[in-house]
């Protein structure tokens, strides 16, 4: 929904920016203060081949954020003075926390840090949002917001509650701060994550609860307060990683009554918000009155007919994106098709001149195609299939990737069909271990990958974000896998590429081992079905990483250790693996991996470690793994011995290392 001059609305998107759908705030006045460093001087410095970073200590969260912020400074000298104003704002907020809040001064600082002319330039706005996320801003904002509400005597920020507070200093500060939050949740999902950690979302849910008691106020155009509150939640819910935080505030139940509003704008804004918040169980609340699906299709049809491809500020691509969000819940897929979504999507695929609209339409078809009945019907629709094949050759990379993904799913066989064609299929332990994951979890999984490689496993992991353009490579990786590690999170569940991988592995009856990557996440829907009752390994950070890795290695056993394929970062090579030779062991007797608990106990006694209770739970397989780590990943080995096995004395560490090295 495009920006209007008089009130907050959904954000617009330009062809150049390719921005995601989100809620933004009206333009705020630009401060009359001028920057300490003029733009011209900075640009001339950059043009001379030099770089400039601020001398003052960056108010960032950690060293990595400092480095990233300095990279942004270097890459965007034209924004340098805005960065400085941001620093000044955070420093003032932190100083005020130690004394009495100076609301008017802080309001002016916020205004100075908001370069309103950039809010319609999405690329620059995105840089500013990212930069704000890197600063220690979120925590300071949350504390200031709560204190300002309390000092103003408000329990909620609504049109009714603020009517009698027009002259209060904290109120002006709150208006400006809400504008910052709305604009930067619009432009940075990372900023949304930072806010989620502060607990600030509870204030916006309280606003909506209070507004719910006066639903008659929302029979016309929604007011700024309502749109501001729902806007921050809507923008943040686009990030699957923090949806649980939003759900725990009972946000879905708070929003549902607004679907009865007489205002089409209110209903659609709420429906698009719910599309990103509903889980499988809560979706039943929406299905209780399926007229909401007729409503969103009606809005799409109206927007498509206008020359601007907008209706009441809502764009075609925005409405389609909302429908795709609703279709993430599998029970909605068939219903949307029955309601007539496909002909409308085909209109876009056939006649639109906008790559953004076409991409959204293709992704919606892709999502709907995960339903088996829809898939059968879509395959019979020759025009649809021809349109997708045509769009697969698009010069727009995003459109081409989405089209390839949709076609791939449409051609995918079911588990029963694969059973018929692979009656004598057996698990081939000589294949590799495939890591199927969502990009946000890469850092943790690279650690898993390297340490499993050190233990002799062959790994296939898409490290270079190959995505839809190489779906065939992904398919071959699944086909050649002994085991597929399905790395579960809400982001994984929402990803169409990830679902394509996981369901393909499931259809081929591959051994699937689930890894939990998001704390307290409970897989539901299609991902819950694939997980089933399988044992999963929690790498969300709740438990010790090293222990979980050893448990995972034990579960894998010999699967993925064969010599048929040496697999590195998504490339499969048909050659024997070349591993660094282990130290020759002169010891004799049964292989350590076969040791019983008594054998391990005897070894501990013989090696002089019987008094160390932290070693008593080690198995023979664990000892073999530790031996391999000692020469494949020595830094990890010594960290584990000291931190987890509690051998802190240098002599004990040396003796234990030597004893492990002598194992056979």
């Amino acid at each position: 929904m495009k920006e209007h001059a008089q009130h907050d609305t959904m954000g617009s998107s330009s062809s150049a920016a390719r921005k995601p759908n989100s809620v933004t705030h009206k333009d705020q006045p630009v401060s009359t203060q001028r920057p300490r460093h003029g733009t011209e001087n900075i640009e001339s410095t950059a043009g001379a081949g030099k770089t400039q970073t601020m001398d003052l200590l960056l108010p960032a969260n950690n060293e990595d954020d400092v480095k990233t912020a300095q990279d942004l400074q270097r890459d965007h000298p034209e924004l340098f003075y805005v960065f400085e104003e941001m620093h000044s704002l955070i420093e003032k907020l932190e100083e005020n926390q130690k004394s009495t809040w100076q609301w008017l001064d802080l309001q002016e600082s916020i205004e100075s840090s908001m370069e309103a002319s950039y809010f319609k330039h999405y690329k620059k706005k995105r840089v500013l949002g990212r930069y704000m996320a890197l600063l220690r801003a979120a925590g300071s904002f949350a504390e200031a917001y709560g204190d300002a509400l309390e000092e103003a005597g408000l329990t909620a920020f609504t049109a009714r509650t603020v009517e009698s507070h027009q002259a209060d200093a904290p109120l002006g500060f709150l208006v400006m701060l809400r504008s910052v939050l709305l604009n930067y949740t619009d432009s940075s999902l990372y900023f949304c994550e930072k806010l989620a950690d502060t607990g600030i979302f509870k204030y916006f849910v309280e606003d909506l609860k209070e507004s719910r008691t006066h639903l008659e106020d929302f029979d016309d155009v929604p007011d700024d307060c309502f749109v501001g509150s729902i806007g921050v939640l809507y923008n943040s819910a686009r990030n699957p990683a923090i949806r649980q935080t939003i759900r725990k505030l009972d946000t879905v139940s708070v929003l549902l009554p607004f679907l009865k509003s007489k205002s089409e704008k209110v209903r659609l804004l709420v429906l698009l918000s719910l599309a990103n918040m509903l889980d499988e169980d809560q979706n039943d609340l929406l299905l209780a009155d399926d007229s909401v699906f007729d409503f969103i299709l009606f809005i799409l049809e109206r927007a498509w007919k206008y020359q601007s491809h907008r209706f009441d500020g809502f764009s075609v691509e925005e409405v389609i994106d909302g429908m795709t969000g609703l279709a993430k819940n599998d029970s909605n897929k068939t219903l949307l098709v029955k309601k007539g979504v496909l002909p409308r999507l085909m209109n876009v695929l056939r006649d639109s001149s906008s790559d953004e609209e076409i991409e959204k339409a293709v992704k919606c078809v892709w999502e709907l195609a995960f339903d088996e009945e829809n898939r059968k019907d879509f395959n019979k629709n020759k025009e649809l299939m021809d349109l997708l094949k045509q769009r697969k050759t698009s010069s727009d990379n995003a459109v081409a990737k989405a089209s390839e993904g949709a076609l791939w799913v449409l051609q995918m066989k079911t588990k029963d069909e694969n059973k018929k064609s692979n009656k004598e299929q057996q698990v081939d332990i000589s294949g590799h271990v495939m890591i199927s994951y969502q990009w946000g979890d890469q850092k943790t999984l690279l650690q898993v990958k390297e340490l499993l490689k050190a233990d002799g496993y062959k790994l296939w992991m898409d490290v270079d974000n190959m995505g839809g353009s190489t779906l065939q490579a992904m398919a071959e990786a699944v086909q050649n896998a002994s085991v597929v590690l399905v790395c579960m999170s809400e982001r994984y569940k929402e990803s169409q590429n990830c679902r394509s991988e996981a369901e393909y592995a499931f259809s081929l009856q591959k051994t699937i081992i689930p890894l939990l990557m998001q704390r307290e996440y409970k897989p539901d829907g299609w991902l819950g079905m694939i997980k089933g009752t399988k044992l999963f390994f929690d790498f969300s950070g709740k438990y010790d990483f090293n222990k979980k890795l050893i448990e995972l290695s034990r579960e894998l056993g010999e699967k993925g250790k064969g010599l048929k394929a040496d697999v590195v970062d998504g490339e499969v090579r048909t050659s024997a693996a070349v591993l660094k030779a282990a130290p020759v062991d002169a010891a004799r007797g049964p292989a350590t991996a076969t040791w019983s608990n008594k054998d391990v106990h005897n070894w501990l006694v013989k090696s002089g470690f019987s008094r160390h209770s932290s070693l008593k739970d080690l198995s023979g397989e664990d000892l073999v793994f530790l031996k391999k780590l000692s020469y494949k990943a020595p830094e990890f080995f010594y960290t584990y011995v000291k931190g987890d096995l509690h051998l802190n004395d240098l002599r004990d560490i040396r003796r234990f290392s030597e004893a492990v090295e002598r194992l056979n």
Side-chain angles (χ1 to χ4, degrees):
M1 191 171 168
K2 66 181 179 180
E3 297 181 23
H4 294 278
Q6 300 303 317
H7 55 82
D8 304 334
T9 52
M10 303 283 281
S12 63
S13 61
S14 66
S15 297
R18 298 298 299 258
K19 76 180 285 297
N21 300 306
S22 49
V23 179
T24 57
H25 194 275
K26 63 183 178 182
D27 291 345
Q28 293 292 339
V30 182
S31 171
T32 56
Q33 286 184 289
R34 292 325 311 156
R36 290 188 288 274
H37 296 287
T39 305
E40 292 181 4
N41 292 335
I42 294 170
E43 288 178 341
S44 62
T45 301
K50 299 178 182 179
T51 57
Q52 181 177 4
T53 55
M54 296 180 189
D55 294 332
L56 59 91
L57 179 64
L58 281 166
N61 296 288
N62 52 54
E63 290 183 6
D64 288 341
D65 283 355
V66 168
K67 183 180 182 305
T68 305
Q70 288 177 334
D71 288 342
L72 288 175
Q73 291 174 14
R74 197 159 32 245
D75 295 340
H76 299 278
E78 76 281 4
L79 299 176
F80 199 85
Y81 80 90
V82 188
F83 295 154
E84 279 197 318
E85 296 296 344
M86 288 179 170
H87 292 191
S88 177
L89 170 62
I90 305 309
E91 288 168 349
K92 283 186 178 181
L93 284 169
E94 292 181 343
E95 288 171 4
N96 271 262
Q97 289 173 19
K98 300 171 185 175
S99 58
T100 304
W101 292 102
Q102 303 296 319
W103 300 118
L104 289 175
D105 181 45
L106 289 170
Q107 180 180 338
E108 291 177 359
S109 293
I110 290 181
E111 190 174 355
S112 297
S113 70
M114 292 176 63
E115 185 54 65
S117 62
Y118 292 139
F119 286 168
K120 289 187 178 181
H121 192 300
Y122 191 72
K123 288 183 179 178
K124 284 187 170 61
K125 182 178 173 183
R126 201 162 85 179
V127 171
L128 293 174
R130 176 69 176 176
Y131 196 84
M132 184 66 83
L134 295 167
L135 305 185
R136 294 192 303 265
S140 297
F141 286 164
E143 185 165 349
Y145 193 97
D147 287 350
L149 275 178
E150 184 177 356
E151 191 163 327
L154 296 174
T155 56
F157 196 97
T158 70
R160 288 197 177 208
T161 60
V162 302
E163 279 179 352
S164 60
H165 295 74
Q166 295 297 326
D168 288 354
L171 188 67
F173 168 78
L174 283 168
V175 170
M176 293 302 299
L177 181 53
R178 285 166 65 90
S179 180
V180 168
L181 297 176
L182 198 53
N183 274 289
Y184 292 134
T185 53
D186 163 51
S187 59
S188 173
L189 294 181
Y190 186 46
F191 182 64
C192 297
E193 287 190 36
K194 295 291 187 181
L195 281 182
D197 293 336
T198 69
I200 196 172
F201 292 157
K202 66 185 177 185
Y203 297 120
F204 301 106
V205 176
E206 285 301 317
D207 297 344
L208 297 172
K209 281 183 181 178
E210 178 66 26
S211 298
R212 191 177 58 179
T213 62
H214 303 286
L215 284 176
E216 66 275 10
D217 292 353
F218 301 94
D219 288 344
D220 198 2
V221 177
D223 60 68
D224 289 0
C225 296
F226 174 79
V227 175
S229 298
I230 195 174
V232 171
L233 297 170
Y234 169 84
N235 290 342
S236 300
R238 291 175 301 145
N239 186 336
I242 57 179
R243 287 177 187 168
Q244 286 191 103
T245 301
I246 295 172
R247 291 183 190 124
K248 285 180 179 178
L249 297 170
D250 201 27
T251 311
V252 171
S253 296
V254 172
L255 284 175
L256 281 170
F258 290 98
L259 290 175
K260 301 295 184 182
S261 170
K262 294 178 182 178
S263 167
E264 290 179 343
K265 186 172 292 186
V266 169
R267 297 210 309 273
L268 189 54
L269 183 53
V270 170
L271 185 56
L272 294 179
S273 299
L274 289 171
N276 286 329
M277 296 178 188
L278 292 164
D279 60 21
E280 298 288 340
D281 293 333
Q282 293 170 322
N283 189 64
D284 290 340
L285 300 173
L286 199 63
L287 289 173
D289 180 9
D290 66 12
S291 64
V292 294
F293 296 91
D294 297 311
F295 171 64
I296 196 170
L297 290 171
F298 163 76
I299 296 295
L300 174 60
E301 196 167 72
R302 294 283 291 274
W304 177 251
K305 287 181 179 179
Y306 281 96
Q307 186 175 358
S308 64
H309 281 195
R310 292 179 178 276
F311 173 68
D312 206 8
F314 291 92
S315 67
V316 164
E317 63 263 29
E318 192 166 20
V319 179
I320 294 176
D321 199 48
M323 289 195 302
T324 305
L326 291 171
K328 296 291 182 183
N329 291 284
D330 283 348
S331 53
N332 295 342
K333 288 180 170 63
T334 305
L335 181 58
L336 278 166
V337 172
K338 286 181 178 178
K339 294 280 187 181
V341 68
L342 189 59
R344 293 168 172 85
L345 295 175
M346 289 173 63
N347 286 338
V348 177
L349 291 175
R350 184 193 314 107
D351 301 325
S352 178
S353 59
S354 164
D355 287 330
E356 292 88 342
E357 291 179 355
I358 295 169
E359 181 195 354
K360 296 297 184 184
V362 172
K363 284 187 172 180
C364 193
V365 172
W366 187 356
E367 189 63 43
L368 294 167
F370 284 115
D371 178 84
E372 191 173 334
E373 291 304 314
N374 286 347
R375 188 157 63 239
K376 291 177 182 177
D377 291 339
F378 290 1
N379 271 296
K380 296 174 184 177
N381 190 323
K382 185 179 184 302
E383 184 183 4
L384 172 64
M385 299 301 288
D386 288 344
L387 285 169
L388 290 173
K389 290 172 185 175
Q390 176 186 341
R391 295 305 182 183
K392 184 180 174 181
T393 62
S394 171
S395 59
D396 185 275
N397 191 46
V399 171
K401 279 188 173 184
S403 301
E404 184 175 2
L407 286 166
W408 194 88
V409 169
L410 284 167
Q411 295 159 6
M412 187 171 65
K413 293 181 179 180
T414 65
K415 185 177 180 181
D416 289 338
E417 288 170 334
N418 279 314
K419 273 184 181 178
K420 292 177 183 178
S421 58
N422 297 289
K423 290 181 179 179
E424 298 180 0
Q425 182 181 7
Q426 296 179 346
V427 175
D428 182 2
I429 67 169
S430 66
H432 53 255
V433 176
M434 178 182 179
I435 300 179
S436 176
Y437 72 106
Q438 200 277 337
W439 201 246
D441 296 316
Q442 187 188 70
K443 186 176 180 180
T444 299
L445 291 164
L446 282 173
Q447 289 180 275
V448 172
K449 168 180 170 284
E450 290 306 315
L451 292 167
L452 286 177
K453 281 176 67 177
D455 198 24
Y457 291 97
K458 313 300 175 296
L459 275 296
W460 193 99
M461 181 177 179
D462 174 8
V463 176
D464 298 319
N465 196 18
M466 294 185 299
S469 65
T470 53
L471 278 166
Q472 186 57 40
M474 178 277 292
E476 291 175 0
V478 174
Q479 291 163 10
N480 295 322
S482 294
V483 180
V484 177
L485 303 182
V486 170
C487 303
M488 305 182 300
S489 66
E490 186 147 1
R491 286 182 292 202
Y492 186 93
K493 185 195 172 191
E494 297 292 301
S495 166
Q496 291 170 321
N497 275 310
C498 293
R499 180 166 185 175
S500 298
E501 290 179 9
E503 292 204 338
Y504 187 52
F506 184 74
S507 73
L508 293 180
Q509 304 173 69
K510 293 291 180 178
T511 299
I512 291 175
I513 297 179
L515 308 187
L516 183 65
M517 307 307 299
Q518 180 179 339
R519 190 169 295 192
E520 297 181 4
Y521 174 63
K522 293 179 174 58
D524 58 2
W526 71 267
L527 187 54
M529 182 186 72
I530 284 180
K531 175 191 171 291
T533 58
K534 298 180 181 72
L535 177 69
F536 70 90
F537 299 88
D538 193 334
F539 284 91
S540 68
K542 183 177 182 180
Y543 301 104
D544 180 80
F545 177 88
N546 301 333
K547 289 181 179 177
K548 290 299 168 185
L549 189 71
I550 289 175
E551 291 174 8
L552 174 59
S553 179
R554 189 181 300 161
E555 177 69 15
L556 286 168
E558 295 302 310
K559 293 189 289 290
K561 281 190 174 182
L563 300 179
K564 285 189 178 180
D566 179 19
V567 186
V568 181
D569 298 346
E571 179 183 355
V572 182
R573 301 177 185 144
T574 56
S575 62
V578 179
L579 301 176
K580 179 180 176 182
V584 177
D585 185 6
R588 296 290 181 265
T592 307
T594 65
W595 279 5
S596 65
N597 290 339
K598 184 177 180 181
D599 293 329
V600 174
H601 175 72
N602 291 337
W603 177 79
L604 289 172
V605 171
K606 183 179 178 181
S607 303
F609 291 100
S610 57
R611 61 187 176 86
H612 290 277
S613 59
S614 58
L615 305 178
K616 67 180 182 179
D617 292 330
L618 290 173
S619 68
E621 289 181 336
D622 295 340
L623 291 173
V624 171
F625 185 45
L626 285 170
K627 178 178 179 178
K628 291 178 180 178
L629 285 178
S630 70
Y631 61 89
K632 286 288 187 181
E635 183 178 351
F636 176 81
F637 171 80
Y638 289 112
T639 299
Y640 183 77
V641 168
K642 185 176 180 180
D644 294 81
L645 298 183
H646 307 296
L647 299 181
N648 296 312
D649 183 83
L650 180 61
R651 182 176 298 177
D652 283 345
I653 294 174
R654 176 180 59 78
R655 288 170 50 239
F656 182 77
S657 301
E658 291 172 350
V660 167
E661 188 174 334
R662 290 193 297 269
L663 290 169
N664 66 337

